[in-house]
Protein backbone atom coordinates (compact mmCIF):
# COMPACT_ATOMS: atom_id res chain seq x y z
CA UNK A 1 0.00 0.00 0.00
CA UNK A 2 2.90 2.37 0.72
CA UNK A 3 4.20 1.83 -2.80
CA UNK A 4 0.78 2.83 -4.22
CA UNK A 5 0.81 6.03 -2.16
CA UNK A 6 4.29 6.92 -3.37
CA UNK A 7 3.25 6.29 -6.95
CA UNK A 8 0.10 8.39 -6.57
CA UNK A 9 1.92 11.53 -5.51
CA UNK A 10 4.66 12.23 -7.98
CA UNK A 11 5.27 15.70 -6.42
CA UNK A 12 6.57 14.17 -3.16
CA UNK A 13 10.26 15.04 -3.17
CA UNK A 14 11.12 12.47 -0.53
CA UNK A 15 10.41 9.54 -2.97
CA UNK A 16 13.39 9.04 -5.34
CA UNK A 17 14.27 6.18 -7.77
CA UNK A 18 17.21 5.19 -5.55
CA UNK A 19 15.05 4.82 -2.43
CA UNK A 20 12.28 2.74 -4.12
CA UNK A 21 13.29 1.03 -7.38
CA UNK A 22 9.73 -0.24 -7.93
CA UNK A 23 8.31 3.38 -7.97
CA UNK A 24 8.73 5.11 -11.32
CA UNK A 25 10.66 8.37 -11.24
CA UNK A 26 8.44 11.41 -10.80
CA UNK A 27 7.92 13.53 -13.85
CA UNK A 28 8.87 17.15 -13.95
CA UNK A 29 6.36 19.78 -12.85
CA UNK A 30 6.55 21.33 -16.32
CA UNK A 31 5.68 18.07 -18.04
CA UNK A 32 2.05 18.30 -19.34
CA UNK A 33 1.67 14.57 -18.87
CA UNK A 34 1.84 14.97 -15.06
CA UNK A 35 -1.39 14.32 -13.28
CA UNK A 36 -3.05 17.19 -11.46
CA UNK A 37 -2.70 17.89 -7.78
CA UNK A 38 -6.32 16.91 -7.12
CA UNK A 39 -5.90 13.52 -8.82
CA UNK A 40 -2.71 12.85 -6.85
CA UNK A 41 -4.43 13.73 -3.57
CA UNK A 42 -7.42 11.53 -4.39
CA UNK A 43 -5.15 8.59 -5.28
CA UNK A 44 -3.26 9.02 -2.00
CA UNK A 45 -6.53 9.12 -0.01
CA UNK A 46 -7.84 5.99 -1.69
CA UNK A 47 -4.51 4.23 -1.13
CA UNK A 48 -4.69 5.13 2.59
CA UNK A 49 -8.19 3.70 2.90
CA UNK A 50 -9.69 6.89 4.34
CA UNK A 51 -13.13 8.05 3.40
CA UNK A 52 -13.98 11.66 2.70
CA UNK A 53 -15.84 11.95 5.99
CA UNK A 54 -12.87 10.60 7.97
CA UNK A 55 -10.48 12.98 6.19
CA UNK A 56 -12.82 15.90 6.91
CA UNK A 57 -12.80 14.99 10.60
CA UNK A 58 -8.99 14.81 10.67
CA UNK A 59 -8.41 18.08 8.80
CA UNK A 60 -11.49 19.94 10.16
CA UNK A 61 -12.23 21.03 6.58
CA UNK A 62 -15.68 20.72 5.05
CA UNK A 63 -16.01 17.74 2.65
CA UNK A 64 -17.24 20.11 -0.06
CA UNK A 65 -13.85 21.89 -0.13
CA UNK A 66 -11.91 18.61 -0.03
CA UNK A 67 -13.96 17.32 -2.98
CA UNK A 68 -13.27 20.58 -4.87
CA UNK A 69 -9.52 20.07 -4.29
CA UNK A 70 -9.63 16.49 -5.63
CA UNK A 71 -11.66 17.51 -8.69
CA UNK A 72 -9.53 20.62 -9.39
CA UNK A 73 -12.47 22.99 -9.04
CA UNK A 74 -10.44 25.79 -7.45
CA UNK A 75 -13.09 28.36 -8.23
CA UNK A 76 -15.37 26.71 -5.64
CA UNK A 77 -12.74 27.22 -2.93
CA UNK A 78 -12.65 30.27 -0.65
CA UNK A 79 -9.83 32.81 -0.75
CA UNK A 80 -6.34 31.78 -1.80
CA UNK A 81 -4.95 31.89 1.72
CA UNK A 82 -7.60 29.46 3.01
CA UNK A 83 -7.18 27.22 -0.03
CA UNK A 84 -3.45 26.82 0.62
CA UNK A 85 -4.30 26.00 4.25
CA UNK A 86 -6.68 23.27 3.07
CA UNK A 87 -3.99 21.79 0.79
CA UNK A 88 -1.49 21.81 3.67
CA UNK A 89 -3.97 20.11 6.01
CA UNK A 90 -4.93 17.52 3.32
CA UNK A 91 -1.29 16.60 2.66
CA UNK A 92 -0.42 16.52 6.38
CA UNK A 93 -3.32 14.16 7.16
CA UNK A 94 -2.04 11.70 4.51
CA UNK A 95 1.59 12.01 5.65
CA UNK A 96 2.74 13.77 2.47
CA UNK A 97 5.09 16.71 2.01
CA UNK A 98 3.03 19.79 2.80
CA UNK A 99 5.43 22.32 1.25
CA UNK A 100 5.59 20.48 -2.07
CA UNK A 101 1.80 20.21 -2.16
CA UNK A 102 1.42 23.97 -1.54
CA UNK A 103 4.00 24.84 -4.22
CA UNK A 104 2.23 22.60 -6.78
CA UNK A 105 -1.10 24.28 -5.86
CA UNK A 106 0.47 27.67 -6.52
CA UNK A 107 1.66 26.49 -9.97
CA UNK A 108 -1.69 25.03 -10.94
CA UNK A 109 -3.70 27.91 -9.43
CA UNK A 110 -1.68 31.07 -9.91
CA UNK A 111 -2.63 34.30 -8.18
CA UNK A 112 -5.04 36.26 -10.33
CA UNK A 113 -4.35 39.56 -8.55
CA UNK A 114 -4.24 42.62 -10.83
CA UNK A 115 -0.71 44.05 -11.09
CA UNK A 116 -0.11 47.52 -9.79
CA UNK A 117 -0.82 50.34 -12.23
CA UNK A 118 1.07 53.63 -12.37
CA UNK A 119 -0.70 56.53 -10.63
CA UNK A 120 -3.04 58.62 -12.74
CA UNK A 121 -2.49 62.34 -13.25
CA UNK A 122 0.64 64.13 -14.36
CA UNK A 123 3.26 61.82 -15.80
CA UNK A 124 6.62 61.49 -14.10
CA UNK A 125 8.50 62.80 -17.12
CA UNK A 126 6.32 65.87 -17.23
CA UNK A 127 6.97 66.48 -13.53
CA UNK A 128 10.68 66.21 -14.14
CA UNK A 129 10.46 68.71 -17.00
CA UNK A 130 8.48 71.20 -14.90
CA UNK A 131 10.56 70.84 -11.74
CA UNK A 132 13.24 73.42 -12.71
CA UNK A 133 10.55 75.98 -13.54
CA UNK A 134 8.75 75.42 -10.25
CA UNK A 135 11.98 75.66 -8.28
CA UNK A 136 12.91 78.83 -10.14
CA UNK A 137 9.58 80.47 -9.32
CA UNK A 138 9.93 79.53 -5.66
CA UNK A 139 13.48 80.91 -5.57
CA UNK A 140 12.42 84.21 -7.14
CA UNK A 141 9.56 84.55 -4.65
CA UNK A 142 11.86 83.95 -1.69
CA UNK A 143 14.40 86.42 -3.07
CA UNK A 144 11.73 89.10 -3.41
CA UNK A 145 10.46 88.56 0.12
CA UNK A 146 13.93 88.65 1.65
CA UNK A 147 14.92 91.71 -0.40
CA UNK A 148 11.79 93.57 0.69
CA UNK A 149 12.45 92.86 4.36
CA UNK A 150 16.08 93.99 4.06
CA UNK A 151 14.98 97.17 2.29
CA UNK A 152 12.48 98.02 5.03
CA UNK A 153 15.04 97.46 7.79
CA UNK A 154 17.67 99.59 6.04
CA UNK A 155 15.24 102.48 5.64
CA UNK A 156 14.32 102.37 9.33
CA UNK A 157 17.93 102.66 10.49
CA UNK A 158 18.55 106.19 11.79
CA UNK A 159 21.86 107.95 11.92
CA UNK A 160 23.43 108.06 15.39
CA UNK A 161 22.84 111.33 17.22
CA UNK A 162 23.29 112.43 20.81
CA UNK A 163 20.39 111.94 23.14
CA UNK A 164 18.28 114.92 24.12
CA UNK A 165 18.65 113.98 27.79
CA UNK A 166 22.43 114.36 27.80
CA UNK A 167 22.66 117.17 25.25
CA UNK A 168 24.33 120.35 26.53
CA UNK A 169 22.08 123.45 26.26
CA UNK A 170 23.41 126.12 23.93
CA UNK A 171 23.36 128.90 26.57
CA UNK A 172 25.45 126.91 29.07
CA UNK A 173 28.67 128.13 27.49
CA UNK A 174 27.56 131.78 27.75
CA UNK A 175 26.52 131.29 31.38
CA UNK A 176 29.87 129.70 32.20
CA UNK A 177 31.71 132.65 30.63
CA UNK A 178 29.69 135.11 32.73
CA UNK A 179 30.30 133.19 35.95
CA UNK A 180 34.07 133.27 35.55
CA UNK A 181 34.22 136.98 36.45
CA UNK A 182 32.29 136.54 39.68
CA UNK A 183 33.93 135.62 42.97
CA UNK A 184 32.61 132.68 44.95
CA UNK A 185 31.90 133.37 48.62
CA UNK A 186 30.97 130.89 51.33
CA UNK A 187 28.83 132.02 54.24
CA UNK A 188 29.40 131.29 57.94
CA UNK A 189 28.48 127.77 59.14
CA UNK A 190 25.02 127.41 60.55
CA UNK A 191 24.22 125.90 63.91
CA UNK A 192 23.24 122.27 64.08
CA UNK A 193 19.52 121.59 64.36
CA UNK A 194 18.30 120.86 67.89
CA UNK A 195 17.96 117.25 68.94
CA UNK A 196 14.53 115.71 68.93
CA UNK A 197 12.92 115.78 72.37
CA UNK A 198 10.03 113.76 73.74
CA UNK A 199 7.19 115.96 74.97
CA UNK A 200 5.96 115.60 78.51
CA UNK A 201 3.11 113.15 79.02
CA UNK A 202 -0.26 114.83 79.17
CA UNK A 203 -2.49 113.87 82.10
CA UNK A 204 -6.20 114.57 81.89
CA UNK A 205 -7.28 116.57 84.96
CA UNK A 206 -9.42 114.49 87.30
CA UNK A 207 -8.73 111.18 85.53
CA UNK A 208 -5.98 110.09 87.90
CA UNK A 209 -8.15 110.79 90.93
CA UNK A 210 -10.96 108.67 89.49
CA UNK A 211 -8.69 105.75 88.74
CA UNK A 212 -6.61 105.72 91.93
CA UNK A 213 -8.93 107.42 94.41
CA UNK A 214 -6.15 109.91 95.33
CA UNK A 215 -5.87 113.57 94.58
CA UNK A 216 -2.56 114.17 92.75
CA UNK A 217 -2.49 117.79 94.07
CA UNK A 218 -2.77 116.68 97.73
CA UNK A 219 0.78 116.34 99.15
CA UNK A 220 -0.51 114.38 102.17
CA UNK A 221 -2.18 111.67 100.12
CA UNK A 222 -0.78 108.18 100.76
CA UNK A 223 -1.22 105.49 98.14
CA UNK A 224 -2.56 102.17 99.49
CA UNK A 225 -0.16 99.24 99.29
CA UNK A 226 -0.56 97.30 96.08
CA UNK A 227 -0.83 93.51 96.22
CA UNK A 228 2.40 91.70 95.47
CA UNK A 229 2.88 90.77 91.84
CA UNK A 230 3.46 87.08 91.40
CA UNK A 231 5.15 85.32 88.52
CA UNK A 232 2.68 84.49 85.77
CA UNK A 233 2.32 81.07 84.20
CA UNK A 234 4.52 80.73 81.11
CA UNK A 235 3.83 77.59 79.05
CA UNK A 236 7.05 76.05 77.77
CA UNK A 237 5.79 72.72 76.49
CA UNK A 238 2.75 70.51 76.13
CA UNK A 239 -0.22 71.20 78.45
CA UNK A 240 -2.51 68.35 79.47
CA UNK A 241 -5.76 68.22 81.39
CA UNK A 242 -8.63 70.71 81.35
CA UNK A 243 -8.86 73.85 79.23
CA UNK A 244 -7.52 77.20 80.40
CA UNK A 245 -11.01 78.75 80.56
CA UNK A 246 -12.27 76.44 83.34
CA UNK A 247 -9.12 75.43 85.21
CA UNK A 248 -7.78 77.45 88.16
CA UNK A 249 -4.88 75.18 89.22
CA UNK A 250 -1.92 74.39 86.98
CA UNK A 251 1.05 72.17 87.80
CA UNK A 252 4.21 72.82 85.77
CA UNK A 253 7.32 70.65 85.88
CA UNK A 254 10.66 72.33 86.51
CA UNK A 255 12.49 69.17 85.47
CA UNK A 256 11.49 65.71 84.23
CA UNK A 257 9.28 64.12 86.88
CA UNK A 258 6.40 61.67 87.24
CA UNK A 259 2.92 63.04 87.97
CA UNK A 260 -0.01 60.76 88.91
CA UNK A 261 -3.54 62.03 89.67
CA UNK A 262 -5.71 59.53 91.58
CA UNK A 263 -9.41 60.00 92.14
CA UNK A 264 -11.15 59.27 95.40
CA UNK A 265 -12.23 55.78 94.30
CA UNK A 266 -8.64 54.83 93.40
CA UNK A 267 -8.93 55.23 89.64
CA UNK A 268 -6.04 56.98 87.92
CA UNK A 269 -7.13 60.11 86.08
CA UNK A 270 -3.71 61.11 84.74
CA UNK A 271 -0.29 59.45 84.82
CA UNK A 272 2.67 60.67 82.82
CA UNK A 273 6.32 61.61 83.11
CA UNK A 274 6.34 65.31 82.30
CA UNK A 275 9.36 66.92 80.69
CA UNK A 276 10.72 70.26 81.83
CA UNK A 277 8.19 72.99 80.95
CA UNK A 278 5.20 70.67 80.44
CA UNK A 279 2.13 71.28 82.57
CA UNK A 280 -1.18 69.75 83.68
CA UNK A 281 -4.36 71.76 84.30
CA UNK A 282 -6.67 70.47 87.02
CA UNK A 283 -10.42 70.29 86.36
CA UNK A 284 -12.53 72.42 88.73
CA UNK A 285 -14.26 70.86 91.76
CA UNK A 286 -12.33 67.60 91.42
CA UNK A 287 -11.67 65.43 94.49
CA UNK A 288 -8.34 63.77 93.75
CA UNK A 289 -4.84 63.26 95.12
CA UNK A 290 -1.62 64.51 93.53
CA UNK A 291 1.05 61.82 93.77
CA UNK A 292 4.65 62.47 92.76
CA UNK A 293 7.96 61.17 94.09
CA UNK A 294 9.57 64.64 93.72
CA UNK A 295 7.19 67.41 94.86
CA UNK A 296 9.93 70.05 94.53
CA UNK A 297 10.00 69.44 90.78
CA UNK A 298 6.56 71.08 90.28
CA UNK A 299 5.36 74.69 90.53
CA UNK A 300 1.76 75.45 91.45
CA UNK A 301 -0.02 78.27 89.61
CA UNK A 302 -3.32 79.57 91.03
CA UNK A 303 -5.41 81.59 88.56
CA UNK A 304 -2.35 82.00 86.36
CA UNK A 305 -0.06 83.31 89.14
CA UNK A 306 2.68 81.43 90.94
CA UNK A 307 1.52 79.99 94.24
CA UNK A 308 4.59 78.10 95.41
CA UNK A 309 5.35 74.39 95.11
CA UNK A 310 3.73 71.15 96.13
CA UNK A 311 3.84 70.74 99.92
CA UNK A 312 4.23 66.93 100.00
CA UNK A 313 4.59 63.88 97.72
CA UNK A 314 0.85 63.32 98.16
CA UNK A 315 -1.23 66.49 98.17
CA UNK A 316 -5.02 66.86 97.97
CA UNK A 317 -6.11 68.62 94.83
CA UNK A 318 -9.19 70.02 96.56
CA UNK A 319 -7.02 72.16 98.83
CA UNK A 320 -5.34 73.78 95.82
CA UNK A 321 -8.72 74.43 94.20
CA UNK A 322 -9.96 76.06 97.43
CA UNK A 323 -6.85 78.29 97.55
CA UNK A 324 -7.42 79.32 93.95
CA UNK A 325 -11.06 80.17 94.61
CA UNK A 326 -10.16 82.17 97.74
CA UNK A 327 -7.50 84.11 95.84
CA UNK A 328 -10.00 84.84 93.08
CA UNK A 329 -12.51 86.17 95.64
CA UNK A 330 -9.84 88.39 97.26
CA UNK A 331 -8.89 89.81 93.87
CA UNK A 332 -12.53 90.55 93.13
CA UNK A 333 -12.95 92.22 96.54
CA UNK A 334 -9.86 94.41 95.99
CA UNK A 335 -11.12 95.40 92.57
CA UNK A 336 -14.56 96.26 93.95
CA UNK A 337 -13.00 98.34 96.77
CA UNK A 338 -10.86 100.24 94.30
CA UNK A 339 -13.89 100.97 92.14
CA UNK A 340 -15.86 102.15 95.19
CA UNK A 341 -13.00 104.38 96.34
CA UNK A 342 -12.75 105.94 92.92
CA UNK A 343 -16.51 106.54 92.93
CA UNK A 344 -16.37 108.26 96.35
CA UNK A 345 -13.47 110.40 95.25
CA UNK A 346 -15.31 111.39 92.12
CA UNK A 347 -18.41 112.32 94.14
CA UNK A 348 -16.34 114.40 96.57
CA UNK A 349 -14.65 116.21 93.73
CA UNK A 350 -18.00 116.92 92.09
CA UNK A 351 -19.44 118.25 95.41
CA UNK A 352 -16.40 120.46 95.94
CA UNK A 353 -16.72 121.88 92.46
CA UNK A 354 -20.45 122.65 93.02
CA UNK A 355 -19.95 124.47 96.40
CA UNK A 356 -19.38 128.28 95.91
CA UNK A 357 -16.26 129.80 97.37
CA UNK A 358 -16.78 131.90 100.61
CA UNK A 359 -16.65 135.70 100.20
CA UNK A 360 -14.16 137.52 102.50
CA UNK A 361 -15.63 140.18 104.91
CA UNK A 362 -14.93 143.79 104.03
CA UNK A 363 -13.13 145.92 106.65
CA UNK A 364 -15.22 148.58 108.45
CA UNK A 365 -15.43 151.90 106.78
CA UNK A 366 -13.22 154.67 108.30
CA UNK A 367 -15.07 157.93 108.90
CA UNK A 368 -13.55 160.86 107.15
CA UNK A 369 -11.52 163.27 109.22
CA UNK A 370 -13.09 166.51 110.35
Amino acid sequence: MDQDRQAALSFDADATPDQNPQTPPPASADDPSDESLGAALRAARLASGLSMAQLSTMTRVHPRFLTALEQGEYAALPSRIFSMGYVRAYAGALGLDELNAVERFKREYPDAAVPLQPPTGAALQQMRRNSPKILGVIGVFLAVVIGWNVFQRVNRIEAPHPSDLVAVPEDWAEQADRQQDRALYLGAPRAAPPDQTTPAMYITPGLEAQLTGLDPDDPNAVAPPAPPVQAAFNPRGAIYGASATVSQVTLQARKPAILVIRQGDGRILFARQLAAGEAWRAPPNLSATIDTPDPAAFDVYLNGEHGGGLPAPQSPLGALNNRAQAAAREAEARAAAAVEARARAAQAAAAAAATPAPVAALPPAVPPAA
Side-chain angles (χ1 to χ4, degrees):
M1 185 178 296
D2 293 339
Q3 294 177 359
D4 295 338
R5 291 177 57 189
Q6 295 293 338
L9 280 181
S10 60
F11 60 85
D12 194 347
D14 295 336
T16 60
D18 297 336
Q19 295 175 354
N20 193 354
Q22 298 180 0
T23 303
S28 174
D30 299 333
D31 189 357
S33 62
D34 293 344
E35 60 181 349
S36 63
L37 173 64
L41 292 176
R42 183 174 182 278
R45 178 177 64 81
L46 295 177
S48 63
L50 296 176
S51 64
M52 185 62 70
Q54 294 175 348
L55 185 62
S56 176
T57 303
M58 296 174 60
T59 60
R60 297 184 180 180
V61 180
H62 197 275
R64 178 166 56 89
F65 298 137
L66 298 179
T67 303
L69 282 177
E70 291 184 354
Q71 297 178 0
E73 298 177 355
Y74 299 143
L77 297 174
S79 62
R80 184 178 179 82
I81 300 298
F82 287 99
S83 299
M84 289 188 294
Y86 297 162
V87 172
R88 184 187 297 272
Y90 200 127
L94 298 178
L96 305 177
D97 191 345
E98 301 176 3
L99 296 179
N100 290 339
V102 172
E103 291 298 329
R104 186 164 181 178
F105 173 78
K106 291 180 180 180
R107 290 195 302 268
E108 294 184 4
Y109 185 46
D111 190 3
V114 179
L116 297 178
Q117 300 294 334
T120 59
L124 183 59
Q125 297 296 333
Q126 185 178 359
M127 291 295 296
R128 290 180 178 177
R129 288 195 301 266
N130 296 334
S131 295
K133 298 179 181 179
I134 297 175
L135 294 178
V137 172
I138 295 175
V140 171
F141 178 75
L142 293 177
V144 171
V145 173
I146 295 174
W148 175 257
N149 290 335
V150 172
F151 176 75
Q152 292 293 332
R153 292 180 179 273
V154 169
N155 288 340
R156 292 180 181 179
I157 296 177
E158 299 180 358
H161 59 277
S163 176
D164 297 337
L165 299 178
V166 299
V168 179
E170 297 178 355
D171 58 344
W172 274 22
E174 299 177 0
Q175 294 180 7
D177 295 339
R178 289 194 300 266
Q179 292 294 337
Q180 290 180 358
D181 299 337
R182 297 181 182 180
L184 182 62
Y185 298 96
L186 296 178
R190 298 181 180 181
D195 296 336
Q196 182 180 3
T197 57
T198 303
M201 182 177 62
Y202 176 78
I203 300 177
T204 304
L207 181 61
E208 186 175 358
Q210 295 181 7
L211 295 178
T212 61
L214 301 175
D215 188 2
D217 298 332
D218 186 4
N220 298 324
V222 179
V229 179
Q230 303 292 342
F233 172 68
N234 181 21
R236 300 188 303 273
I239 301 178
Y240 306 94
S243 62
T245 57
V246 299
S247 178
Q248 294 179 320
V249 178
T250 304
L251 304 179
Q252 188 177 30
R254 296 182 180 178
K255 58 183 180 178
I258 297 176
L259 179 64
V260 180
I261 307 299
R262 290 188 175 89
Q263 298 183 4
D265 54 359
R267 292 183 301 173
I268 296 178
L269 177 64
F270 178 81
R272 189 181 183 90
Q273 182 176 2
L274 300 181
E278 295 183 347
W280 178 78
R281 289 195 182 103
N285 304 324
L286 177 63
S287 178
T289 302
I290 304 173
D291 189 358
T292 176
D294 189 3
F298 291 92
D299 289 329
V300 179
Y301 291 89
L302 305 177
N303 300 319
E305 296 184 356
H306 187 262
L310 289 176
Q314 294 183 354
S315 304
L317 182 59
L320 298 180
N321 283 327
N322 294 335
R323 287 177 52 190
Q325 294 175 2
R329 288 193 295 269
E330 291 179 1
E332 293 177 357
R334 287 196 300 267
V339 171
E340 185 178 358
R342 287 195 295 270
R344 288 197 302 268
Q347 293 176 359
T355 303
V359 180
L362 295 177
V366 179

